[in-house]
Amino acid sequence: VLSRIAFGSCARQDKPQPIWDAIVAAKPDIYLSLGDNIYGDTEDMAVMKKKYDQLAAIPGWQKLKKTCPMLAIWDDHDYGVNDGGAEYPRKDESQQLFLDFFGIPKDSPRRKQKGVYSAETFGPPDKRVQVILLDTRYFRSPLKRKAGKTPFNEGPYEPSPDTKATMLGEAQWQWLEEQLKVPARVRILVSSIQLVPQDHGWEKWMNLPHERERLYKLLKDTKAAGIVCISGDRHLAELSMMDAGIGYPLYDLTSSGLTEASQRWRKLEVNRHRVATMNRGNNFGMIAIDWSRGDPLIRLQIRDQEGDITIQDKLPLSLLQPGSLKGKGVAGIVR
């Protein structure tokens, strides 16, 4: 039974990583590594392995590995190139190094498939949690850059009109549809990049808007209940929520970074779907599920480097069921 699910992203292997002590102290049942687990940024696999070895030698990381099991996905820097997609030439070699580091057995299907996506379920039927880890790198088509120069803090990308561009690739889309039909009460949808926020110009699902809509339609058509999305990448933490047309509010809890978050005050970027934010300070995420209630309570949390809660929203599981909005939209949600 999973009751405490910790997660985080963006940890540079050559920096101090004291935050692992706070994560261990939070006593998670599992840790989900959301990408940028190292900053590899290379086509030289010997260099990539050396950087994984640096992470492996960090005492806090070693302690966490002894505390709880881990599941992991990659993002651009541990994939191999900043903002990279399908064009990265060493993705197959990088995939094997990633799987080696996270101890994936040599006979695992992840060793033979293209991309590192996977899913697992935990607990008995009445407390079952499914973790779905998406690969937003291996198959992803090129992004559309804004014309001319743009201020750095606005980001370089804008939504692409190319409806043939893909985020997941057809094989992963078919696999995801099958996973969403697997019985589960709570589903943690892991995306290395943000799903709900749409206003900033950095990497996000909204850069391929037709793929974002395809995902929302798939969630609706499969009637998959209990979904909470978690994401990383942004070097800030925030909770976003929208009515995505799936029949209940779709939450996206972003935690980033373990070492890379801005340490200085900065102006908030626009996010029309923002519920709460922590836009400076290293952080990790926690999903705590109270199964003792007749209507289980899900706490979505961001915690700082000392382990203090900086963002929290409490959701009864009954809210995350198709039909809970009943046509009244997000404005009708009682929070």
Side-chain angles (χ1 to χ4, degrees):
V1 175
L2 297 185
S3 298
R4 300 176 66 79
I5 303 162
F7 60 94
S9 67
C10 305
R12 191 173 287 275
Q13 70 284 343
D14 54 3
K15 287 186 177 181
Q17 298 184 3
I19 199 168
W20 297 121
D21 290 336
I23 297 175
V24 169
K27 299 180 179 179
D29 299 316
I30 194 169
Y31 178 76
L32 307 180
S33 206
L34 272 55
D36 291 343
N37 305 301
I38 60 168
Y39 279 65
D41 299 293
T42 181
E43 294 180 13
D44 185 332
M45 294 300 104
V47 171
M48 184 84 80
K49 185 179 185 307
K50 183 177 179 180
K51 292 182 177 183
Y52 275 122
D53 290 344
Q54 283 182 276
L55 174 57
I58 293 174
W61 176 260
Q62 295 175 354
K63 189 183 299 183
L64 180 63
K65 285 188 67 177
K66 296 176 182 178
T67 298
C68 65
M70 295 182 182
L71 295 178
I73 202 69
W74 60 18
D75 198 34
D76 53 341
H77 295 290
D78 43 351
Y79 178 60
V81 60
N82 183 47
D83 292 357
E87 76 286 350
Y88 176 60
R90 302 299 300 276
K91 56 188 179 183
D92 292 321
E93 296 91 334
S94 180
Q95 176 172 334
Q96 296 306 315
L97 271 181
F98 171 91
L99 298 175
D100 287 346
F101 180 77
F102 285 102
I104 306 304
K106 295 296 184 181
D107 60 353
S108 168
R110 296 177 87 186
R111 294 283 185 175
K112 297 179 180 179
Q113 73 182 27
K114 300 294 186 180
V116 299
Y117 57 90
S118 67
E120 291 196 33
T121 56
F122 302 85
D126 62 329
K127 299 177 181 178
R128 182 158 295 158
V129 175
Q130 181 188 36
V131 180
I132 302 174
L133 301 109
L134 301 178
D135 185 336
T136 64
R137 295 294 163 186
Y138 192 98
F139 305 95
R140 201 212 66 205
S141 301
L143 303 178
K144 185 177 187 297
R145 286 190 170 269
K146 297 176 182 176
K149 291 186 177 181
T150 56
F152 173 77
N153 61 355
E154 293 184 7
Y157 304 114
E158 63 184 8
S160 171
D162 182 3
T163 57
K164 295 183 179 179
T166 186
M167 183 71 75
L168 302 182
E170 281 306 310
Q172 187 175 186
W173 274 115
Q174 294 175 18
W175 167 86
L176 177 58
E177 181 174 358
E178 295 170 0
Q179 293 303 318
L180 291 171
K181 296 175 181 177
V182 172
R185 297 199 72 190
V186 175
R187 302 176 196 269
I188 310 301
L189 185 64
V190 180
S191 170
S192 67
I193 59 172
Q194 289 182 312
L195 176 60
V196 168
Q198 67 186 71
D199 300 297
H200 64 76
W202 304 99
E203 289 194 285
K204 59 189 182 300
W205 274 78
M206 191 60 182
N207 290 337
L208 301 178
H210 62 286
E211 289 286 85
R212 185 173 180 252
E213 286 305 311
R214 179 177 180 175
L215 178 57
Y216 291 170
K217 185 177 186 299
L218 183 61
L219 299 182
K220 178 182 178 181
D221 291 348
T222 57
K223 298 181 172 60
I227 290 176
V228 172
C229 181
I230 60 175
S231 56
D233 176 61
R234 293 303 324 288
H235 298 185
L236 55 81
E238 63 184 351
L239 177 62
S240 307
M241 179 269 290
M242 71 179 291
D243 180 352
I246 65 175
Y248 59 91
L250 181 61
Y251 285 82
D252 183 351
L253 183 59
T254 303
S255 175
S256 171
L258 297 164
T259 67
E260 296 306 288
S262 173
Q263 301 303 306
R264 298 180 178 181
W265 184 92
R266 55 182 171 174
K267 183 180 178 181
L268 292 181
E269 64 188 27
V270 177
N271 179 0
R272 73 187 72 180
H273 303 301
R274 180 181 293 124
V275 175
T277 189
M278 176 188 173
N279 78 328
R280 59 187 173 94
N282 294 329
N283 61 84
F284 67 97
M286 176 72 76
I287 298 176
I289 308 172
D290 184 351
W291 293 107
S292 68
R293 302 184 179 216
D295 186 0
L297 187 68
I298 301 173
R299 292 178 172 87
L300 305 180
Q301 300 175 345
I302 295 294
R303 300 189 179 202
D304 64 17
Q305 193 159 284
E306 287 71 46
D308 295 331
I309 297 172
T310 60
I311 295 175
Q312 179 168 256
D313 207 352
K314 301 176 183 179
L315 313 176
L317 184 54
S318 60
L319 177 64
L320 304 181
Q321 308 300 315
S324 70
L325 290 183
K326 297 180 180 178
K328 58 190 176 183
V330 166
I333 297 173
V334 179
R335 293 185 54 251

